[in-house]
Amino acid sequence: MTAHLTQPRLDPQPEVKRPPMDWVTFGFFAVFHGVALLAPWFFSWSALGVAILLHWLCGGVGICLGFHRLLSHRSFQVPRWLEYPIAVLGTLAMEGGPIFWVSGHRKHHAFTEDVHKDPYSAKRGFWWSHMLWILYPHRENFDKNYYGKYAPDLMRQPFYRFLNNYFLLFQVLLALLLYAIGGWSFVIYGVFVRAVCLWHATWLVNSATHTWGYRTFHTDDNARNLWWVSLVTYGEGWHNNHHTYPRAAQTGWKWWEIDVTWYTILLFERLGWAKKVKRIPATHR
């Protein structure tokens, strides 16, 4: 199929009652953003390198490859000795525990853009889908007794329940390790700068790729392919492709649709670590 360049859809925004602001969550994110702004006063090339490395490990491997394509969609399989460390990297991304993340993403696909059931429905506005859904939380999206039913495979495993319950503890341990190695510059870049950049990159998949870009496939939702989001999310910005075939491990279908996460999965397959890799239909290769 051919790509179709279109303007953002201007559907009227439905009126949905917004829950109260969670001021603790607001303060948490405000502190992280504020500390990240101190980065110029603590700059060093080694600290910047730590931030870039951890952005890729936690975001590219932990979230994009691990939480998303491996755990949410089961688009390939890896042995437990590899799956669990990847899940730890995803936990270190500080985007919530694996059960929370996976269940939210599965709900997003099951009820895409439904203003009541999609946790970060783009029909509620760009900023809602980007981050306001976290600051004004609906209980069913943040209470494990509600969201856990969307990830029963993970809920059954004590390891994933532990990661989900104590994901902030892992961040404290990482901060202590970075401080021991490189002092405050490593902490500010490796935890705060890295987390803020990774958060907004991930959130852009929820917001920007449901607003701008081109549509290779005519789907019922407004998911789009957006190259610059893919560059900062290791291939997750080819969102129209992904929503059309969510079980495929590959999101970049054209030669120029760069998909770093897919290249990593191919490497794992070549090494014999990844099995049953789900590919795009043969008619589109």
Side-chain angles (χ1 to χ4, degrees):
M1 297 184 182
T2 58
H4 299 274
L5 291 170
T6 57
Q7 295 298 317
R9 190 172 60 189
L10 300 176
D11 291 347
Q13 299 301 319
E15 292 293 331
V16 180
K17 185 177 180 180
R18 180 180 291 183
M21 166 79 80
D22 186 328
W23 289 103
V24 173
T25 300
F26 176 86
F28 175 83
F29 282 106
V31 168
F32 260 76
H33 283 74
V35 174
L37 291 175
L38 298 175
W41 288 274
F42 290 86
F43 177 81
S44 71
W45 288 108
S46 57
L48 179 61
V50 167
I52 293 172
L53 176 62
L54 287 175
H55 189 284
W56 173 67
L57 286 174
C58 300
V61 179
I63 294 294
C64 301
L65 184 148
F67 280 14
H68 186 205
R69 306 192 199 188
L70 176 61
L71 297 183
S72 295
H73 295 292
R74 297 296 182 183
S75 58
F76 63 101
Q77 296 179 5
V78 296
R80 286 287 171 84
W81 64 262
L82 181 58
E83 177 180 322
Y84 283 177
I86 290 174
V88 170
L89 288 176
T91 302
L92 285 171
M94 209 161 39
E95 296 187 2
I99 299 174
F100 165 78
W101 202 103
V102 168
S103 65
H105 189 72
R106 288 177 178 175
K107 285 184 68 177
H108 170 65
H109 276 273
F111 309 105
T112 305
E113 297 178 353
D114 183 292
V115 295
H116 298 287
K117 297 179 180 180
D118 182 349
Y120 23 87
S121 171
K123 285 187 178 179
R124 296 184 66 174
F126 178 92
W127 288 108
W128 175 266
S129 60
H130 191 73
M131 64 184 299
L132 292 182
W133 67 278
I134 302 173
L135 301 180
Y136 296 89
H138 288 279
R139 183 183 178 189
E140 62 270 19
N141 297 327
F142 292 87
D143 187 331
K144 188 170 63 177
N145 293 323
Y146 289 88
Y147 69 68
K149 66 180 182 179
Y150 290 94
D153 50 330
L154 303 186
M155 286 286 288
R156 287 191 293 267
Q157 300 185 48
F159 178 75
Y160 285 114
R161 295 199 301 270
F162 175 77
L163 292 186
N164 202 70
N165 292 334
Y166 300 103
F167 73 95
L168 286 176
L169 174 62
F170 285 81
Q171 207 63 214
V172 173
L173 297 175
L174 174 62
L176 292 173
L177 175 62
L178 292 174
Y179 182 80
I181 296 173
W184 284 113
S185 64
F186 273 35
V187 175
I188 289 175
Y189 275 84
V191 174
F192 294 91
V193 173
R194 180 267 307 169
V196 169
C197 291
L198 186 53
W199 285 337
H200 286 282
T202 303
W203 297 340
L204 282 170
V205 178
N206 302 334
S207 55
T209 63
H210 279 265
T211 307
W212 303 294
Y214 63 89
R215 289 162 55 80
T216 302
F217 301 97
H218 293 286
T219 56
D220 293 335
D221 56 65
N222 201 39
R224 295 163 181 272
N225 296 322
L226 196 53
W227 67 270
W228 55 270
V229 172
S230 282
L231 291 183
V232 298
T233 58
Y234 309 96
E236 302 291 67
W238 310 119
H239 211 47
N240 174 248
N241 296 347
H242 174 58
H243 269 255
T244 305
Y245 292 98
R247 297 295 299 277
Q250 179 181 0
T251 62
W253 291 29
K254 309 295 184 181
W255 66 267
W256 45 268
E257 293 178 338
I258 298 173
D259 184 1
V260 174
T261 301
W262 170 241
Y263 308 150
T264 307
I265 295 171
L266 286 178
L267 175 62
F268 283 6
E269 185 180 45
R270 179 67 61 89
L271 294 172
W273 299 347
K275 305 289 186 181
K276 298 183 179 180
V277 179
K278 295 179 175 64
R279 286 171 161 77
I280 60 177
T283 53
H284 295 290
R285 294 177 192 170

